[in-house]
Amino acid sequence: MNNLLDTIAKHFSNNLPFVAYRKPNKSLVTAFLLKDNSLEFTSEFTESGFVFAPYKKEEKAILFSDKKALIISENIDTQEKSLRDDIATSLVDSVRDKHINIVDKAVETIKTSNLQKVVISREELVKLNPVNILEIYKTLLSTYKNAFVYVWFHLEIGLWFGATPETLLNLKGTNFKTMSLAGTQVNINKKDIIWKSKELEEQQLVTNFIETQLQPISNNLIIDKTETINAGSLLHLRTKVSRNSKRKI
């Protein structure tokens, strides 16, 4: 077993905070290991470390400072594996009915307002007893090669896993890169991938929103051609958006 994975498993069993992450299309996994359960927050984001931010802006973002953490890195190569092989899932009727009700409300709201896109979700109950964080994390690493894959733990906050192919922001000086990622279909290994108008319109809505938000602060915006990317068993549409201050106009 990998030394890094052994170490985070021991940290988890001792209820000590840690985060381990791997960047897209890389094999290097980096872990921040904290020695106690004290919580440190950030609001100005001037510090260096790993930030775990909530969805609600009024809530505080948690910082794992690189000055207070033991940082280790290791190349971890994993074999392809389906995430569904080792877990049993069930969708109870009450959750299904609730989701259908939310969908109905979303459709009605779109019909009676100026909303163009609404994203809704549902919960899925997964039986994991005991929780084997190493197996789950290794499966995520192997399934989502081109995603940012992480496992994050703090006794007071909880255990979180994530695998996202979407970059929020890559910033270097006054130059930046971001992307719109929308439109989804199952990857069935077709050579000629066809996107329907619904997915294309959904992707364009996100691209237009990003462009509208960034144009007032950047007069040198670059909108790349929309492309198809793979994320596990799914395909998405992606449009890269960037600013290059050295670009000639």
Side-chain angles (χ1 to χ4, degrees), residues 37 48 67 80 92 104 115 237:
N37 280 295
S48 178
K67 295 180 180 179
E80 293 291 335
V92 298
D104 290 339
L115 288 179
L237 287 167

Side-chain angles (χ1 to χ4, degrees), residues 18-29:
F18 70 89
V19 62
Y21 65 89
R22 186 207 63 195
K23 294 182 179 180
N25 301 310
K26 303 292 183 181
S27 61
L28 187 69
V29 177

Side-chain angles (χ1 to χ4, degrees), residues 49-62:
F50 191 98
V51 174
F52 192 68
Y55 291 107
K56 297 180 180 180
K57 62 182 180 180
E58 59 269 18
E59 296 182 3
K60 296 179 180 179
I62 301 169

Side-chain angles (χ1 to χ4, degrees), residues 133-233:
I133 66 166
L134 296 190
E135 288 304 313
I136 297 173
Y137 189 53
K138 286 193 294 183
T139 301
L140 288 174
L141 289 172
S142 64
T143 305
Y144 300 98
K145 296 287 188 180
N146 65 338
F148 181 87
V149 182
Y150 72 89
V151 52
W152 187 99
F153 173 73
H154 192 289
L155 184 62
E156 295 185 31
I157 309 300
L159 175 66
W160 293 73
F161 294 91
T164 175
E166 189 171 8
T167 299
L168 177 62
L169 183 66
N170 185 321
L171 181 64
K172 291 184 179 180
T174 58
N175 295 329
F176 62 78
K177 297 178 182 179
T178 185
M179 65 177 67
S180 61
L181 191 74
T184 304
Q185 65 172 279
V186 177
N187 183 9
I188 55 176
N189 298 318
K190 290 192 301 183
K191 293 183 178 179
D192 298 320
I193 300 168
I194 299 175
W195 290 99
K196 296 181 180 180
S197 59
K198 181 261 183 188
E199 286 79 19
L200 293 170
E201 291 173 7
E202 178 184 357
Q203 165 66 12
Q204 193 60 48
L205 282 172
V206 180
T207 304
N208 291 345
F209 175 79
I210 292 175
E211 185 176 6
T212 300
Q213 297 300 306
L214 293 179
Q215 282 289 8
I217 61 174
S218 177
N219 58 0
N220 216 1
L221 211 57
I222 305 169
I223 310 292
D224 287 359
K225 184 179 179 181
T226 299
E227 58 187 344
T228 299
I229 67 163
N230 174 253
S233 61

Side-chain angles (χ1 to χ4, degrees), residues 94-105:
S94 60
V95 174
R96 181 184 293 106
D97 293 342
K98 181 180 178 181
H99 184 68
I100 292 174
N101 186 45
I102 293 174
V103 172
D104 290 339
K105 288 183 178 179

Side-chain angles (χ1 to χ4, degrees), residues 41-53:
F41 301 99
T42 181
S43 57
E44 299 299 325
F45 303 100
T46 57
E47 304 88 349
S48 178
F50 191 98
V51 174
F52 192 68

Side-chain angles (χ1 to χ4, degrees), residues 105-118:
K105 288 183 178 179
V107 172
E108 186 61 30
T109 301
I110 292 174
K111 290 179 179 179
T112 58
S113 70
N114 60 355
L115 288 179
Q116 295 179 293
K117 179 181 177 180
V118 176

